[in-house]
Amino acid sequence: MTKIPHILLIYTGGTIGMVKDYKTGALHTFNFDKLLKHIPEINHLNCKIQSISLKEPIDSSNMNPEKWVLIAEIIEDNYNAFDGFVILHGSDTMSYTSSAISFMFENLSKPIIFTGSQLPIGDLRTDAKENLITSIEIASAQDNGKPIITEVCLYFEYKLYRANRTTKINAEQFEAFTSPNFPPLGESGVYLKFSKQLIQKPLKNSYLKVRKKLDNNIVILKIFPGITKAVVKSILEIKGLKGVVMETFGSGNAPTEKWFVELLKEAIDKNIYIINVTQCAGGNVQMGQYETSIELKNLGIISGKDITTESALAKLMYLLGEKIPKNKFKSVFETQIRGEITED
Ligand code: ASP
């Protein structure tokens, strides 16, 4: 461990580093070195900062599993040389990417902090400076020479969250994220305060494993009143489909119509895993609580419990990539592996 924390800033794109194209009026990404020139303050932080940028920074709407692997590889290649990592990322899909990175890094013992902003760094009223500076401070925070944060987090507008518990809730307010089912791990005010008892710790005598096999033969199926047989059938019959994140009503309820239940059964018989997550902003799936979810339970549908859709999607890609055997898949999915669900 170095005395002064050594932090790697990884720039992937997003509003934080965008400028306005005055011809079209649209925001687009620009050179990262220019971005750093807008924040001379970072030279006064008590850490050594190096930065690296994706070859082509992107709006996070263009993020995908291949680019998640690229980000993971940058962290992996630099893991021993740095004490912490700050990833600058567009806010639109930050919860997806950061959830995926959390599953990809097993036995993490250093901080990986995702952040971004709602306004570009050059804007007078920007939220980018606070988000970036505080994220670097969080990644540098140590107790007795050891990092305080040993998990993948998302920092935005004074709150530090466990990344795989977050969801983007607002497209224009500075408070763009929330963590509906898990309290923040830290807050920034006059002081930086951490809820240390909540922070995930690596297992003793464990070493870092980076899991890079992700299988994206999956779909999100959002149930709505009036959903037709043709729609459900065409989704569940997609060639090569291996998993479905099914967003149901309330505590995991869905229509009880015969055709619907039969289509789900046919999919399960074809070894497609179906995960039940709630489309509510917060709360838990409890299959069997209502008549409208008993059938789902009997079919062997997997309970996402209080997982977010973003995290369920990332966990499904990860577990499919790891080729978890069929007889174990349900219990592995229903068990927390990176603090992403609350177990009963
Ligand atoms: N469209 C942008 C992105 O996600 C929005 C942002 O950065 O906040 O890349």
Side-chain angles (χ1 to χ4, degrees):
M1 177 77 58
T2 45
K3 278 214 179 95
I4 287 188
H6 207 162
I7 304 300
L8 184 63
L9 262 186
I10 304 170
Y11 177 59
T12 69
T15 298
I16 194 161
M18 286 183 180
V19 277
K20 207 174 207 150
D21 177 333
Y22 285 97
K23 268 194 216 137
T24 63
L27 290 167
H28 65 91
T29 48
F30 81 129
N31 184 295
F32 184 61
D33 300 329
K34 279 199 211 156
L35 182 143
L36 285 183
K37 279 193 198 115
H38 281 280
I39 358 170
E41 293 93 330
I42 66 169
N43 297 320
H44 303 300
L45 293 170
N46 191 24
C47 59
K48 210 170 143 199
I49 300 170
Q50 255 172 263
S51 61
I52 188 167
S53 169
L54 288 191
K55 261 195 204 118
E56 280 177 34
I58 52 166
D59 184 297
S60 77
S61 300
N62 285 319
M63 255 307 152
N64 56 38
E66 288 82 55
K67 295 194 176 96
W68 295 344
V69 172
L70 265 184
I71 297 171
E73 282 172 345
I74 295 176
I75 301 171
E76 185 182 23
D77 292 347
N78 290 284
Y79 194 72
N80 293 329
F82 290 85
D83 300 300
F85 302 85
V86 174
I87 324 280
L88 300 176
H89 192 287
S91 63
D92 289 348
T93 63
M94 197 189 294
S95 291
Y96 291 93
T97 303
S98 56
S99 294
I101 295 289
S102 80
F103 292 112
M104 293 165 85
F105 282 77
E106 191 176 324
N107 296 322
L108 188 65
S109 59
K110 298 183 179 184
I112 300 180
I113 315 294
F114 278 79
T115 196
S117 66
Q118 292 283 54
L119 281 174
I121 205 136
D123 194 290
L124 275 181
R125 292 174 51 250
T126 190
D127 52 332
K129 281 190 186 180
E130 199 285 320
N131 286 347
L132 174 56
I133 290 171
T134 307
S135 294
I136 296 172
E137 289 200 322
I138 290 168
S140 310
Q142 298 188 343
D143 256 350
N144 301 320
K146 294 227 161 74
I148 292 179
I149 301 294
T150 45
E151 58 173 297
V152 182
C153 294
L154 187 156
Y155 179 79
F156 223 90
E157 192 63 6
Y158 305 114
K159 297 246 172 59
L160 179 71
Y161 301 111
R162 173 169 301 153
N164 59 33
R165 290 292 196 153
T166 62
T167 189
K168 184 171 177 181
I169 46 153
N170 204 298
E172 55 183 62
Q173 286 175 1
F174 287 145
E175 210 171 325
F177 289 88
T178 190
S179 167
N181 293 323
F182 199 75
L185 300 180
E187 273 184 63
S188 139
V190 172
Y191 304 104
L192 255 185
K193 289 195 177 153
F194 298 103
S195 295
K196 291 185 188 165
Q197 75 289 356
L198 298 178
I199 296 165
Q200 297 262 308
K201 303 272 177 306
L203 294 172
K204 283 218 168 88
N205 302 322
S206 62
Y207 60 95
L208 180 76
K209 280 190 207 129
V210 187
R211 315 278 193 178
K212 289 182 274 191
K213 286 178 259 146
L214 300 167
D215 190 334
N216 63 351
N217 285 301
I218 67 170
V219 73
I220 297 177
L221 168 59
K222 183 167 183 161
I223 305 300
F224 58 90
I227 193 165
T228 63
K229 183 176 176 184
V231 165
V232 178
K233 192 170 155 59
S234 65
I235 290 176
L236 295 180
E237 287 181 356
I238 292 170
K239 221 172 142 238
L241 187 70
K242 294 185 188 156
V244 181
V245 175
M246 184 168 74
E247 280 198 356
T248 56
F249 306 124
S251 55
N253 308 311
T256 49
E257 282 169 89
K258 205 164 164 244
W259 63 261
F260 181 73
V261 177
E262 271 172 15
L263 284 176
L264 293 180
K265 186 172 181 318
E266 276 167 30
I268 291 169
D269 289 344
K270 283 193 287 179
N271 297 329
I272 294 172
Y273 299 113
I274 302 181
I275 321 296
N276 187 351
V277 301
T278 177
Q279 50 184 260
C280 289
N284 214 332
V285 161
Q286 280 180 339
M287 284 186 283
Q289 191 184 4
Y290 289 90
E291 211 182 6
T292 42
S293 64
I294 284 183
E295 207 53 64
L296 304 182
K297 190 176 181 179
N298 293 342
L299 286 176
I301 283 183
I302 298 166
S303 175
K305 302 186 181 182
D306 64 349
I307 201 167
T308 60
T309 295
E310 294 88 333
S311 196
L313 174 132
K315 188 172 183 179
L316 189 53
M317 286 192 196
Y318 163 67
L319 294 181
L320 286 171
E322 287 296 312
K323 300 207 167 21
I324 304 295
K326 195 180 167 212
N327 60 347
K328 295 214 179 100
F329 201 94
K330 184 173 190 297
S331 68
V332 173
F333 198 101
E334 291 178 349
T335 309
Q336 73 87 17
I337 49 180
R338 307 279 189 272
E340 74 285 2
I341 52 177
T342 311
E343 286 179 30
D344 315 316

